[in-house]
């Protein structure tokens, strides 16, 4: 792969469900270490996009290139092994495992992994997320915000090169929201490439430099957060009103 | 008291074999979300595999059991890859119905093939060990004792495998959420194959352990399959630990129920009725089974 080639790129991505075009002609690239917000009104195709670029959904058309390899037809576990990790809108934890076990399973999914180092790393991640006091609690007993943090931790256990966070701020207590935002900033400073999907524009602006906006399955804007959020087409897509 | 002890020990031995059969069925159900109606036929195949390893290859009975488990593991893996796997693709529209039909089909195919290949007459492999253990009032044939000990070893091994190994944890993860397992790098399709292979091996192991105690016949798996379904509902649908407890409980209730029925001439005919009664009472008191899914995990 040439040195200046994008780390991750999507070209002409499309997905339809029956007659509904959930995503059409979507293209974008991500550079290593970038943090990007993906926003748009409900039904704009954000989650479908995340599902496609992590292998949960197969696109009808288009290419998804991760470090030079087209993975559009690959299953989800191969994305994870390539360092593409994700979280879900509603956390999907292993509810009948403890917090610590939830973090250890990803580390042990590598056939060469050993139990001791996996536990050590899991405890490090728990410390980073300030969840260490809950290590032995069952995941199902955590609050919604704690579950989001744990799911972020589970993604971090993969040592991801690209993190896709689907609505990490939704339904979270304001105090925990700032904590999650701070974790995301720290991860980005540490070199993680991050795509953040959320409706909380204030929180998104506090974290990202670049914003992509989707509406009706298409990308309608892409650029610096402050400029994009003033774009009349973006405001219209969000509020349904015309801006003069 | 000695009569009670005798019945309880016999019930425990049979219960352990039930538990082994049900644990395999539970593993397949938890991971693949498929009710394997062919489980009884795999149990039968395990019994015959052990019989032929012992009699045709002149191997010791313990090698027969181990060989039967390996053979059934391989059979399970091939069957899952060839017959179950299409269910995960878009080629199969009605996945639940597909699973029911192919696993029922497996039972019909294997039972009838068994009649042709093994013949309709009962066969008995040589015992693990001749003789009877006498401990005070307790009298137990060595065959049953060895079958019970081997069943315990296999069940403890299975529990440790699920709890302590990376592969066991991966199976548990897929059983809880296949989507979450996939996004952390676990290949759910591989886990389905492993689970079906292990489930088949456990069924085969149970059939091989029971072979020296009861005679082999092509339809020998019909009843254990029904009992295994009772046990997994008793245990709480999807918990291996629950099915072990359920299996032992069913064995004990059947043995004690038959032993204490006032009319000894009819007692044996009521064996299955005690299982059904236990199931009804348990579901009335605890509709989620003894260890409901909300409380337990795969192991």
């Amino acid at each position: 792969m040439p040195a200046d080639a994008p780390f991750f790129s999507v070209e002409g991505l499309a997905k339809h469900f029956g007659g509904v075009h959930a995503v059409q002609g979507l293209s974008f690239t991500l550079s290593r270490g970038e943090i990007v917000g993906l926003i748009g009104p409900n039904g704009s195709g954000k989650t479908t996009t995340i599902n496609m670029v992590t292998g949960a959904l197969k696109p009808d058309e288009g290419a998804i290139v991760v470090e030079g390899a087209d993975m559009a037809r690959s299953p989800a576990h191969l994305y994870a092994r390539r360092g593409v990790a994700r979280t879900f809108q509603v956390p999907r934890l292993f509810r009948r495992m403890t917090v610590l076990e939830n973090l250890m399973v990803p580390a042990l999914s590598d056939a060469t992994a050993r139990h001791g180092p996996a536990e050590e790393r899991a405890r490090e991640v728990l410390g980073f997320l300030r969840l260490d006091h809950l290590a032995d609690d069952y995941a199902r007993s955590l609050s919604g915000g704690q579950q989001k943090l744990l799911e972020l931790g589970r993604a971090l256990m993969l040592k991801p090169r690209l993190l896709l966070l689907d609505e990490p701020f939704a339904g979270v207590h304001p105090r925990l929201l700032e904590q999650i935002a701070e974790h995301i900033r720290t991860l980005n400073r540490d070199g993680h490439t991050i795509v953040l999907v959320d409706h909380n524009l204030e929180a998104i602006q506090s974290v990202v430099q670049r914003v992509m906006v989707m509406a009706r399955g298409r990308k309608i804007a892409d650029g610096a957060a402050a400029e994009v959020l003033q774009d009349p087409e973006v405001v219209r897509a969000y509020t349904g009103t015309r801006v003069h | 008291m000695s009569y009670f002890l005798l019945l309880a020990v016999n019930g425990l031995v049979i219960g352990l074999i039930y538990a082994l059969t049900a644990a395999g069925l539970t593993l397949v159900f938890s991971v693949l979300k498929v009710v394997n109606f062919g489980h009884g036929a795999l149990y039968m195949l395990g019994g015959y595999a052990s019989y032929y390893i012992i009699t045709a290859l002149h191997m010791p009975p313990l090698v027969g059991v181990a060989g039967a488990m390996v053979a059934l593991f391989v059979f399970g893996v091939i069957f899952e890859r060839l017959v179950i796997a299409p269910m995960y693709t878009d080629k199969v529209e009605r996945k639940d119905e597909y699973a029911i039909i192919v696993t029922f089909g497996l039972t019909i195919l294997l039972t009838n093939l068994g009649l042709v290949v093994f013949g309709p007459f009962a066969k008995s492999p040589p015992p693990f060990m001749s003789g009877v253990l006498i401990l005070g009032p307790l009298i137990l044939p060595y065959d049953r004792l060895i079958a019970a000990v081997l069943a315990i070893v296999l069940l403890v091994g299975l529990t440790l495998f699920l709890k302590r190994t990376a592969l066991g944890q991966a199976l548990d993860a897929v059983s809880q959420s296949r989507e979450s397992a996939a996004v952390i790098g676990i290949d759910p399709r591989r886990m389905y194959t492993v689970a079906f292979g292990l489930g088949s091996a456990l069924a085969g192991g149970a059939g091989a352990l029971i072979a020296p105690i009861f005679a082999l016949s092509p339809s020998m798996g019909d009843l254990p399959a029904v009992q295994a379904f009772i046990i997994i509902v008793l245990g709480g649908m999807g918990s291996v630990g629950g099915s072990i407890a359920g299996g032992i409980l069913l064995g004990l209730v059947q043995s004690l129920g038959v032993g204490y029925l006032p009319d000894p001439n009819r007692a044996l005919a009521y064996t299955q009725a005690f299982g059904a009664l236990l199931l009804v009472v348990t579901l009335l008191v605890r509709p989620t089974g003894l260890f409901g899914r909300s409380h337990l995990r795969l192991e």
Side-chain angles (χ1 to χ4, degrees):
Chain A
M1 191 174 70
D4 58 345
F7 154 66
F8 182 92
S9 68
V10 161
E11 187 60 49
L13 210 59
K15 182 75 189 176
H16 61 85
F17 301 103
V20 178
H21 292 278
V23 174
Q24 303 179 68
L26 178 67
S27 300
F28 64 87
T29 60
L30 298 173
S31 304
R32 211 176 287 277
E34 206 176 5
I35 180 161
V36 179
L38 177 60
I39 63 171
N42 282 333
S44 58
K46 304 183 301 292
T47 294
T48 303
T49 301
I50 296 286
N51 285 340
M52 283 193 285
V53 301
T54 53
L57 269 181
K58 296 278 169 290
D60 297 328
E61 288 169 32
I64 301 164
V65 180
V66 185
E67 293 181 317
D70 184 3
M71 299 191 65
R73 316 309 307 169
S74 301
H77 70 277
L78 293 184
Y79 278 86
R81 289 181 193 172
R82 275 248 169 198
V84 178
R86 72 168 292 179
T87 63
F88 294 91
Q89 269 180 32
V90 179
R92 295 183 193 178
L93 297 166
F94 303 118
R95 292 169 55 80
R96 296 185 299 274
M97 287 188 190
T98 66
V99 167
L100 183 66
E101 286 170 334
N102 262 276
L103 295 189
M104 287 184 57
V105 176
L108 292 172
S109 64
D110 174 0
T112 59
R114 287 184 307 131
H115 194 275
E119 183 173 343
E120 201 175 307
R121 165 124 182 91
R123 291 198 183 276
E124 261 173 42
V125 170
L126 280 180
F128 168 69
L129 296 173
R130 291 177 232 161
L131 290 176
D132 29 7
H133 60 295
L134 299 170
D136 297 324
D137 288 15
Y138 278 94
R140 64 170 182 265
S141 69
L142 303 185
S143 71
Q146 288 170 333
Q147 290 196 14
K148 291 212 176 220
L149 276 175
L150 178 57
E151 201 179 41
L152 173 62
R154 194 176 66 182
L156 290 178
M157 289 299 292
L158 293 170
K159 298 184 180 165
R161 275 164 278 183
L162 171 61
L163 252 178
L164 297 118
L165 308 177
D166 197 356
E167 303 207 12
F169 305 123
V172 172
H173 188 278
R175 207 168 41 212
L176 208 52
L177 189 147
E178 180 42 42
Q179 195 182 322
I180 292 175
E182 186 49 43
H183 286 315
I184 293 171
R185 283 191 286 266
T186 306
L187 289 168
N188 182 236
R189 276 198 298 274
D190 292 346
H192 289 88
T193 310
I194 298 173
V195 174
L196 198 61
V197 178
D198 214 283
H199 286 292
N200 188 332
L201 297 184
E202 200 183 323
I204 285 232
Q205 266 189 296
S206 76
V207 174
V208 307
Q209 298 121 21
R210 174 184 156 201
V211 167
M212 291 190 286
V213 186
M214 290 185 74
R216 295 177 302 280
R218 293 182 181 278
K219 188 173 81 172
I220 59 167
D222 187 348
E227 287 167 26
V228 165
L229 294 176
Q230 299 300 320
D231 185 325
E233 199 182 346
V234 172
V235 175
R236 191 165 55 245
Y238 255 99
T239 63
T241 55
R242 203 170 279 279
V243 176
H244 300 286
Chain B
M1 185 63 194
S2 60
Y3 182 58
F4 172 83
L5 194 65
L6 196 65
L7 291 174
V9 170
N10 271 300
L12 184 67
V13 172
I14 296 302
L16 284 164
I17 306 288
Y18 288 168
L20 201 57
T21 316
L25 192 62
T26 300
L27 194 62
V28 172
F29 174 72
S30 298
V31 178
L32 286 86
K33 310 292 180 243
V34 162
V35 178
N36 179 15
F37 290 102
H39 204 67
L42 299 172
Y43 170 95
M44 175 271 292
L45 210 55
Y48 278 103
S50 170
Y51 173 84
Y52 284 109
I53 289 169
I54 296 165
T55 56
L57 302 178
H58 308 291
M59 292 289 174
L62 286 183
V63 177
V65 175
M69 290 188 72
V70 172
L72 265 288
F73 179 83
V74 173
F75 180 88
V77 165
I78 294 170
F79 182 78
E80 195 278 339
R81 287 285 84 205
L82 293 182
V83 184
I84 304 274
M87 192 178 88
Y88 319 131
T89 66
D90 295 336
K91 287 181 206 158
V92 176
E93 207 171 291
R94 304 182 69 148
K95 299 181 191 304
D96 292 341
E97 290 86 339
Y98 177 86
I100 292 170
I101 289 167
V102 297
T103 56
F104 255 123
L106 178 68
T107 295
I108 295 166
L109 176 75
L110 288 182
T111 307
N112 286 287
L113 266 181
L115 276 171
V116 174
V117 177
F118 309 133
F121 304 110
K123 286 184 163 63
S124 267
F128 291 119
M129 188 176 165
S130 304
V132 176
L133 172 76
I134 302 172
L135 274 177
L138 179 67
I139 303 166
L140 187 67
Y142 282 122
D143 255 354
R144 290 188 178 222
L145 179 66
I146 291 172
V149 170
L150 289 177
I152 290 171
V153 168
L154 288 171
L155 290 169
V156 170
L158 175 68
T159 309
L160 290 176
F161 164 76
L162 290 173
K163 201 165 175 59
R164 300 278 170 83
T165 68
L167 189 56
Q169 290 279 288
L171 285 167
D172 193 11
V174 174
S175 83
Q176 293 192 36
S177 167
R178 59 183 81 175
E179 212 170 5
S180 298
V183 300
I184 58 167
I186 296 169
D187 179 0
R189 298 273 294 265
R190 188 170 154 251
M191 292 305 122
Y192 299 158
T193 308
V194 171
F196 203 90
L198 278 177
S200 305
L202 290 168
L209 289 179
I210 211 77
I213 301 173
F214 302 117
L216 296 168
S217 75
S219 59
M220 65 181 271
D222 296 353
L223 208 53
V226 174
Q227 279 159 343
F229 287 119
I230 290 177
I231 291 163
I232 64 170
V233 177
L234 261 183
M237 300 289 284
S239 154
V240 171
S243 36
I244 294 172
I248 293 170
L249 185 64
L250 180 66
L252 286 172
V253 167
Q254 283 184 345
S255 177
L256 292 170
V258 168
Y260 283 107
L261 201 77
D263 182 356
N265 293 322
R266 295 184 184 173
L268 269 179
Y270 287 107
T271 308
Q272 304 312 319
F274 288 109
L277 190 66
L278 176 65
L279 182 67
V280 170
V281 171
T282 305
L283 290 183
L284 279 174
V285 180
R286 275 186 74 90
T288 56
L290 294 174
F291 303 90
R293 278 295 271 164
S294 59
H295 306 291
L296 271 188
R297 45 202 280 195
L298 182 58
E299 74 260 22

